[in-house]
Amino acid sequence: MLKERSRLLQRLLFAADLVVIAVAWVAAWVIRFEVMTPPEWLPLTRYLTFLPSVLVIWGAVFLFSGLYRTHRAQRLPLVVFSVARAVFLGLLASVAAVFFYREFSFSRLHMLIFGVLTSTLLVLLRLVIYVVLHRARQRGINLRRVLVVGAGRAGQRLANAFRQYPWMGFEVVGFLDDHADAPDVLGTLDDLIPVMEDLAAHNRTVDLVYICLPSWAGGKIEPLIDAAATRLAHVCLVPDLFQFEMILNSRVSDIDGLPVIHLIDETPFDFRRIVKRGADIAFALVVLVLLAPLFLVIAAAVKLSSPGPIFYRQERMGLNGRKFRMLKFRSMPVHAEAETGAVWAKPGENRATPVGAFLRRTSLDELPQFLNVLWGDMSVVGPRPERPVFIEEFKERVPHYMLRHKVKAGITGWAQVNGWRGDTSIEKRIECDLFYIQHWSLWLDVKIVFLTLFKGFVHENAY
């Protein structure tokens, strides 16, 4: 019954989307050829002739793009992204089809207006549906009742999420657990069927059973599934990953239909990462252009301070352990580490030249790393890259140290704006780096850049 209702809603939404596409197609013609002053006027009938083909193309694209997969828990920003992606693919397919249509030339501005209108109207349609369902579910309409098997951290977090977002339409009727004792625990794992029957007798039929058991209780999962299979409830398995101390960029994939959970993984390549890379390139270019006179002054000062090159190229480790040459303005004599080897920078050291000491205190020696950003070795924001010789020591001594290499290294980072730089606690620095990786967003990058401008250049631990 629930599945049939879901399919009906999907079909109605698909039909409404086709109406939106038709409206946007005609509205785009009106804006292009009636509101604006076109160089050549084309009748609406010519565009209406092509409308059935547009509906077929866009309908197929929307279906294959996964726009109608049901996700009650999907938040509005993800809905907007799904619509934008589907519209973009629809425009690409339309442009490709128009290329083979030679009867007359379609207005490119019309296609652009059509894409903008379609995106806007589709999002507005979903926003209206979102608001209507939100209010209906808050009043108890169209709810789906959930029984959570396992009252541990995973089960409690799932239940709290359902309660925190009532617009999703899930009502948690209780838990089953062999060890917990609380008013909302309705019985043990062996009581699954009796509890479901008792709830059904009180007009609270369970629609979904979420199994949230830890891995050590894996032997109990199959009997639970077999028992639930005798009823009509949907069964969902939520792996309790909270038993593991560190999870990074987790995701689920499949190999020949076999689900695989990636506990520690590199950051996924998605739209946000494309935006981050574009912002890196734009920001680096702006800095290099605006600070070009300062670069020349520093270069001259470095050259006059001691014999040798202007830049110092130092091997560092970046994303996925890839080594690269990080650029700095040279702050020490050329052979400063000839006898000592790689040495960790400490307060009071006298290896730097007078010019180099000033560059270090003000972090101006780091400016050439914007070239590393352009080359793709680094990002503007991320964990600071370290020298491989020190990494060999830290990776054994500091827990989770190597996880910082699951993202691209940065010129500045969360650890730096919080004061963990120079000869400070490596453990605290790693805590900040992992916090950044786990909570990364474009807004967090903006915040770090903003904080760097005020307290990231001159710092007591910069030497």
Side-chain angles (χ1 to χ4, degrees), residues 376-432:
D377 297 325
M378 299 175 63
S379 175
V380 174
V381 180
R384 285 292 294 165
E386 193 48 81
R387 302 172 73 173
V389 63
F390 296 128
I391 291 175
E392 290 299 317
E393 172 192 350
F394 296 148
K395 72 179 183 181
E396 303 296 340
R397 178 167 64 87
V398 182
H400 309 135
Y401 182 86
M402 294 302 288
L403 296 182
R404 67 200 304 269
H405 300 107
K406 293 300 180 181
V407 297
K408 191 174 290 188
I411 296 177
T412 184
W414 187 242
Q416 284 63 47
V417 298
N418 281 282
W420 302 109
R421 56 182 297 186
D423 191 21
T424 56
S425 171
I426 298 298
E427 289 77 10
K428 290 294 184 181
R429 193 179 307 178
I430 298 307
E431 285 182 16
C432 289

Side-chain angles (χ1 to χ4, degrees), residues 142-173:
N142 193 30
L143 290 179
R144 302 180 77 172
R145 297 181 181 88
V146 174
L147 180 63
V148 180
V149 180
R153 283 183 293 178
Q156 293 292 344
R157 181 168 178 176
L158 178 70
N160 289 335
F162 289 151
R163 291 164 183 153
Q164 186 178 359
Y165 305 106
W167 55 266
M168 292 192 297
F170 293 105
E171 178 192 2
V172 178
V173 296

Side-chain angles (χ1 to χ4, degrees), residues 29-107:
W29 178 90
V30 172
I31 294 173
R32 177 66 184 92
F33 295 104
E34 296 292 344
V35 177
M36 297 181 178
T37 305
E40 179 183 359
W41 188 86
L42 293 173
L44 176 60
T45 53
R46 302 293 297 273
Y47 278 80
L48 290 178
T49 302
F50 199 70
L51 180 56
S53 301
V54 172
L55 293 176
V56 171
I57 293 172
W58 280 63
V61 169
F62 281 14
L63 288 173
F64 284 109
S65 68
L67 189 60
Y68 303 103
R69 293 172 187 162
T70 55
H71 296 291
R72 279 193 168 215
Q74 191 176 40
R75 297 185 182 182
L76 190 59
L78 294 179
V79 173
V80 174
F81 174 76
S82 299
V83 169
R85 179 182 61 185
V87 170
F88 176 73
L89 293 175
L91 284 174
L92 286 181
S94 298
V95 171
V98 167
F99 179 79
F100 296 100
Y101 192 78
R102 299 297 185 181
E103 291 189 17
F104 73 98
S105 178
F106 284 88
S107 168

Side-chain angles (χ1 to χ4, degrees), residues 239-405:
D240 185 0
L241 302 181
F242 293 99
Q243 59 189 301
F244 303 110
E245 185 177 355
M246 176 54 62
I247 298 175
L248 199 67
N249 298 322
S250 59
R251 62 185 177 93
V252 179
S253 65
D254 73 273
I255 299 178
D256 195 23
L258 181 68
V260 178
I261 300 176
H262 302 248
L263 298 180
I264 298 177
D265 201 359
E266 66 181 76
T267 52
F269 183 75
D270 55 17
F271 180 73
R272 296 182 307 159
R273 295 291 167 180
I274 297 175
V275 174
K276 179 178 173 68
R277 178 58 183 154
D280 280 341
I281 295 174
F283 192 82
L285 286 173
V286 169
V287 169
L288 291 172
V289 172
L290 293 181
L291 299 186
L294 178 60
F295 272 65
L296 294 176
V297 172
I298 295 176
V302 170
K303 196 67 177 177
L304 294 173
S305 64
S306 66
I310 295 171
F311 296 115
Y312 175 51
R313 292 171 173 83
Q314 192 177 70
E315 187 178 57
R316 298 288 178 112
M317 184 178 289
L319 178 63
N320 292 325
R322 187 176 65 85
K323 297 177 182 178
F324 67 96
R325 293 284 180 177
M326 188 181 76
L327 289 178
K328 285 188 174 186
F329 281 119
R330 183 171 57 84
S331 60
M332 299 187 300
V334 174
H335 303 294
E337 292 186 339
E339 296 182 0
T340 62
V343 178
W344 190 264
K346 296 181 179 180
E349 67 174 15
N350 56 5
R351 295 182 300 161
T353 64
V355 171
F358 172 78
L359 294 178
R360 288 188 175 189
R361 284 196 303 271
T362 56
S363 300
L364 293 175
D365 61 325
E366 311 283 357
L367 289 179
Q369 288 160 38
F370 284 102
L371 292 171
N372 289 112
V373 173
L374 284 181
W375 298 334
D377 297 325
M378 299 175 63
S379 175
V380 174
V381 180
R384 285 292 294 165
E386 193 48 81
R387 302 172 73 173
V389 63
F390 296 128
I391 291 175
E392 290 299 317
E393 172 192 350
F394 296 148
K395 72 179 183 181
E396 303 296 340
R397 178 167 64 87
V398 182
H400 309 135
Y401 182 86
M402 294 302 288
L403 296 182
R404 67 200 304 269
H405 300 107

